[in-house]
Amino acid sequence: MNKFSIYQYLIILVVLIIGFIYALPNLYPTQPSIQVAYTDSGKSADQALLIELQDILKKASKDKIQNDPRYIDADEETKVKMVKMVLENAYDEIFLRDNKLVIKFNDVDTQLSSKTVLQNNLLDRVVIALFLEPSTPKWLKNLGANPVKLGLDLSGGVHFLLEVDIDTAQQGRLEQLLDSYSNTFKEEKIKVESFSVKDLALYSEFSNKDSYNKALKKYREDSPVPNGVQYIITEKPSSNVLILEYSDLALREIRDYAVGQNLTTLKNRTNELGVSEPIVQRQGANRIVVELPGVQDPTAAKKIIGKTANLEFRLEANSRTSPLRKEQFNFKENEFQTAYLEKAVIITGERVTKASTGFDSESGLPQVDISLDMQGGKAIQKATSGNVGRKLGVLFIEQKTKSELVTNDLGETVIEQTTYIEKNIISLATIQAVLGTSFRITGVGSYAEASELALLLRAGALAAPMKFVEERTVGPSLGKDSIERGMKSIVIGFCLVILFMAIYYRAFGIIANISLVINLILITGIMSLLGASLTLPGMAGIVLTVGMAVDANVLIFSRIREELKSKDPQTAIRDGFSRAFVTIFDANVTTLITALILYFIGTGPVKGFAITLSVGIITSMFTAIMCTRAMVNLIYGNKNIKELKI
């Protein structure tokens, strides 16, 4: 009686070993670090870059100590020792990993100053990001065991402040307007002398007065909107010129759309990155805040979040194309090769609904397989149906940043950034047949570049370019003192529970306490395995789980006490566990249902609480029903017990 089979003990042992292994990385501290990657996704960090970074950091450390008054006043022997010590402490370790360089430091101050030094020396060549490198042993990493990710309120994280370029959004709208009116004027036989966008306005010059009047009438018809005026029209009848500018109302709509679209796209991109509980929210008129807790690859996050990349599908210009309606572009893979494309855009990347990376079956080179929405499919079908045999160009549009060192009014050397748009042809293939909603794009470069393009297309295009206004690591939002007090209260509460159980239930209380410790280990291990972020509300969920786990043991022990009044100890133990099981199961299942509802409809802190509570309910049932019973069976099973004190 009261004896588990060998298989039951093996199941418990396997679960405990797995839980312990995946909880173990949390015992190892993190170290302030920097990740460095080339800005060009197709280029991997190499030994040459590693040596260059070493030289830059060592030179900066040497220059700093040589300007220190203590160094200046020291003797030659002391100076040599000081320089040697500084060079040794310039960084702790530097190594290559996953096409990036990781530099580890002994303290946060050295990490931050080193980031500034590297940025000033390398400018646009690389992307530099701050992060905390786990010191988890390699054998644990090979098993996929990593520490629990901590939310921004517990350990901080990466903070980006981005500014949306509204002028570029306005420029894009005007270019679309130009294409739209070009087609309209052609259909209505309005003769245009010149038509262009400059200085955030649409300039149109007409061949005669009749065309001028027809165009003016068309502009005025399109101008009224329900709540105001869409365009401001400047009339110059003497020269047959009309200048179209967006009104304040229209500019506000463009700004709100651009920021709203970028906000949605950034949320999609952070989801693609697999970041747990990110914060993406609007700040002011044209800025967006992105905060990422527990990011494992901050350089990739920075590149993907801020990257403005889109596609345009255009037909190659032919002999019948007007010089005013074509543009010349370089190829992305070969800047010396050029081709002319029509200015008219068939579709853009905004029409892409699915994008995945694969390989061309013929050449073996990377490709991006895409699917278009219904409107995009109709547009590409219409454009290609009458142009079989012509070439279709895929234009890759990317916003880039140019950085340079300048001296500000205070005499300080700072980095000044300017942005520009680069357009290159990535594919120019002959149309073999009428295209539909699904096709492939080749010539995208390396597999990494193809994967990045597919991710950007899946997440959605940015409505306007953005620039990084601020990048920093965020400290715990509740303050170090508040977190330490919270941890202290949890430890005190946990110890008091253990003390009470040991005194009140004696040997059974000690067994319950062991189960309680196992429960915490399993919660930590499962959280690590799931890659979930632990927030302060999540810690509250763990505390509640501890109480529920104790409650389950109290129900079992109380039931055994009741059974002892009329039964022998062995029967009382058996019936106490079996009859308490129904109550424990019902109570925990109803709580689990509530926790799942909180997870699916909640956000942020509510989700963090729901995750730890759900995991804790499952582990507490396992430890109370299986682990506690196993230990009781090992101690009391198949023994002739005369008296049982509980």
Side-chain angles (χ1 to χ4, degrees):
M1 189 181 288
N2 294 321
K3 186 179 180 181
F4 274 171
S5 68
I6 188 67
Y7 299 107
Q8 288 173 303
Y9 284 119
L10 281 174
I11 290 170
I12 294 170
L13 185 62
V14 168
V15 171
L16 294 184
I17 290 172
I18 293 172
F20 178 77
I21 288 173
Y22 284 94
L24 196 58
N26 296 282
L27 299 177
Y28 296 91
T30 55
Q31 193 170 355
S33 305
I34 287 175
Q35 270 190 0
V36 182
Y38 279 113
T39 306
D40 185 355
S41 302
K43 196 174 181 181
S44 301
D46 50 21
Q47 194 67 25
L49 180 60
L50 186 148
I51 294 169
E52 185 178 359
L53 296 183
Q54 287 177 320
D55 293 341
I56 291 171
L57 293 175
K58 287 180 178 179
K59 184 180 182 301
S61 298
K62 189 176 179 180
D63 291 344
K64 185 178 179 181
I65 194 64
Q66 287 177 344
N67 293 322
D68 193 312
R70 292 173 297 176
Y71 176 87
I72 296 170
D73 298 335
D75 56 56
E76 289 302 318
E77 185 179 351
T78 306
K79 286 181 178 179
V80 172
K81 288 181 179 178
M82 290 176 73
V83 170
K84 184 179 179 182
M85 184 177 68
V86 165
L87 292 178
E88 288 175 352
N89 294 321
Y91 55 86
D92 181 51
E93 187 182 0
I94 180 168
F95 55 91
L96 282 163
R97 184 179 66 196
D98 298 333
N99 301 326
K100 304 174 188 68
L101 280 167
V102 177
I103 312 171
K104 297 164 72 172
F105 300 92
N106 294 317
D107 56 81
V108 174
D109 291 337
T110 308
Q111 176 201 34
L112 296 175
S113 61
S114 298
K115 178 178 182 285
T116 303
V117 169
L118 292 174
Q119 278 184 327
N120 290 344
N121 280 272
L122 299 170
L123 296 176
D124 298 326
R125 287 176 56 201
V126 299
V127 177
I128 301 171
L130 304 170
F131 79 115
L132 296 173
E133 171 75 9
S135 55
T136 311
K138 190 175 181 180
W139 68 272
L140 279 173
K141 288 182 179 179
N142 292 337
L143 293 172
N146 294 296
V148 174
K149 298 176 185 176
L150 299 179
L152 285 167
D153 55 353
L154 290 179
S155 69
V158 181
H159 167 101
F160 298 121
L161 179 62
L162 302 108
E163 187 172 270
V164 181
D165 187 349
I166 304 301
D167 286 349
T168 302
Q170 187 182 347
Q171 179 80 10
R173 284 283 190 97
L174 286 168
E175 288 175 356
Q176 289 178 6
L177 205 63
L178 185 146
D179 286 336
S180 175
Y181 276 122
S182 292
N183 293 329
T184 301
F185 293 161
K186 189 176 181 180
E187 289 172 1
E188 297 185 9
K189 297 181 180 179
I190 296 174
K191 297 179 180 180
V192 182
E193 194 71 29
S194 64
F195 208 12
S196 63
V197 175
K198 58 182 178 180
D199 300 326
L200 298 179
L202 185 64
Y203 286 78
S204 49
E205 183 181 353
F206 300 92
S207 303
N208 51 57
K209 188 63 67 179
D210 182 55
S211 294
Y212 171 86
N213 290 331
K214 285 181 179 179
L216 179 58
K217 183 183 178 182
K218 183 63 180 173
Y219 284 165
R220 285 174 176 171
E221 287 175 355
D222 294 345
S223 181
V225 292
N227 299 315
V229 178
Q230 181 77 13
Y231 309 132
I232 296 172
I233 305 169
T234 303
E235 302 175 30
K236 294 184 178 181
S238 59
S239 55
N240 292 334
V241 171
L242 291 173
I243 302 172
L244 207 66
E245 296 176 273
Y246 281 114
S247 66
D248 291 340
L249 176 72
L251 289 175
R252 195 180 307 117
E253 185 271 327
I254 291 170
R255 182 193 65 203
D256 290 342
Y257 171 79
V259 176
Q261 175 64 27
N262 283 12
L263 197 65
T264 301
T265 299
L266 287 177
K267 287 178 180 178
N268 292 337
R269 289 185 181 183
T270 54
N271 290 336
E272 288 279 350
L273 289 168
V275 178
S276 301
E277 298 183 27
I279 295 173
V280 182
Q281 58 190 19
R282 184 171 181 170
Q283 185 180 87
N286 62 337
R287 290 186 171 185
I288 296 174
V289 172
V290 179
E291 292 181 343
L292 307 173
V295 289
Q296 296 298 310
D297 193 349
T299 52
K302 187 176 178 182
K303 287 168 74 173
I304 294 299
I305 284 170
K307 194 155 193 172
T308 302
N310 204 348
L311 297 179
E312 286 183 357
F313 294 81
R314 306 187 188 187
L315 288 170
E316 184 183 26
N318 57 21
S319 57
R320 296 191 302 274
T321 307
S322 166
L324 297 175
R325 304 302 303 146
K326 65 181 181 181
E327 292 179 275
Q328 187 178 22
F329 298 101
N330 295 322
F331 280 76
K332 194 172 190 294
E333 292 299 307
N334 183 1
E335 60 181 13
F336 300 106
Q337 184 183 357
T338 63
Y340 282 95
L341 300 182
E342 291 187 354
K343 285 187 177 181
V345 178
I346 301 169
I347 57 166
T348 66
E350 294 176 5
R351 295 297 170 197
V352 176
T353 56
K354 291 181 182 178
S356 59
T357 311
F359 290 94
D360 186 354
S361 58
E362 295 176 3
S363 64
L365 296 174
Q367 67 181 32
V368 177
D369 300 307
I370 66 172
S371 297
L372 304 175
D373 60 15
M374 188 177 293
Q375 188 174 343
K378 287 180 179 178
I380 200 78
Q381 184 180 22
K382 182 180 178 182
T384 57
S385 60
N387 290 292
V388 174
R390 286 184 67 181
K391 289 186 176 181
L392 178 68
V394 181
L395 199 63
F396 183 72
I397 305 166
E398 185 178 12
Q399 180 202 18
K400 291 194 172 182
T401 304
K402 184 179 180 181
S403 304
E404 58 181 342
L405 292 174
V406 297
T407 304
N408 61 14
D409 296 336
L410 301 174
E412 300 171 332
T413 301
V414 295
I415 296 176
E416 186 177 88
Q417 292 185 328
T418 55
T419 58
Y420 64 96
I421 301 295
E422 186 174 276
K423 299 182 179 182
N424 293 301
I425 298 170
I426 60 173
S427 176
L428 188 62
T430 302
I431 302 170
Q432 304 288 348
V434 177
L435 299 178
T437 56
S438 299
F439 51 91
R440 60 181 183 168
I441 304 171
T442 56
V444 290
S446 67
Y447 186 79
E449 290 174 297
S451 299
E452 185 178 292
L453 177 59
L455 187 154
L456 294 172
L457 291 172
R458 284 197 306 271
L462 294 173
M466 296 183 298
K467 63 179 179 180
F468 286 90
V469 178
E470 183 181 86
E471 178 202 347
R472 57 186 168 86
T473 51
V474 184
S477 60
L478 299 178
K480 186 178 179 182
D481 185 57
S482 299
I483 292 169
E484 286 179 352
R485 288 186 180 184
M487 290 294 295
K488 191 175 181 180
S489 64
I490 291 171
V491 172
I492 291 172
F494 186 71
C495 291
L496 288 175
V497 168
I498 286 177
L499 187 64
F500 169 79
M501 293 295 290
I503 293 172
Y504 193 75
Y505 289 108
R506 302 181 186 181
F508 278 81
I510 294 171
I511 291 171
N513 290 336
I514 294 171
S515 291
L516 203 57
V517 173
I518 292 171
N519 187 35
L520 286 176
I521 292 172
L522 290 178
I523 290 173
T524 307
I526 292 173
M527 291 285 286
S528 298
L529 193 59
L530 294 176
S533 288
L534 179 63
T535 60
L536 204 66
M539 291 179 67
I542 291 176
V543 175
L544 179 59
T545 300
V546 169
M548 293 175 65
V550 170
D551 184 53
N553 283 294
V554 168
L555 283 171
I556 293 168
F557 299 158
S558 297
R559 189 68 196 180
I560 292 173
R561 274 182 174 175
E562 291 296 320
E563 297 294 335
L564 282 170
K565 293 177 182 179
S566 58
K567 298 175 183 177
D568 64 273
Q570 291 290 1
T571 306
I573 291 171
R574 182 195 65 191
D575 294 347
F577 272 100
S578 61
R579 292 182 180 180
F581 170 77
V582 177
T583 305
I584 295 168
F585 183 80
D586 288 346
N588 280 282
V589 166
T590 52
T591 309
L592 181 60
I593 292 170
T594 306
L596 291 174
I597 292 170
L598 282 175
Y599 176 79
F600 285 114
I601 68 173
T603 56
V606 176
K607 272 195 172 184
F609 175 79
I611 289 171
T612 52
L613 181 59
S614 301
V615 172
I617 289 168
I618 296 168
T619 57
S620 64
M621 287 182 66
F622 175 78
T623 53
I625 296 167
M626 295 290 291
C627 296
T628 302
R629 182 70 184 272
M631 285 185 279
V632 170
N633 287 355
L634 286 172
I635 297 171
Y636 298 105
N638 281 347
K639 292 182 181 178
N640 187 17
I641 306 169
K642 300 286 185 181
E643 185 181 4
L644 185 65
K645 294 183 179 181
I646 181 173

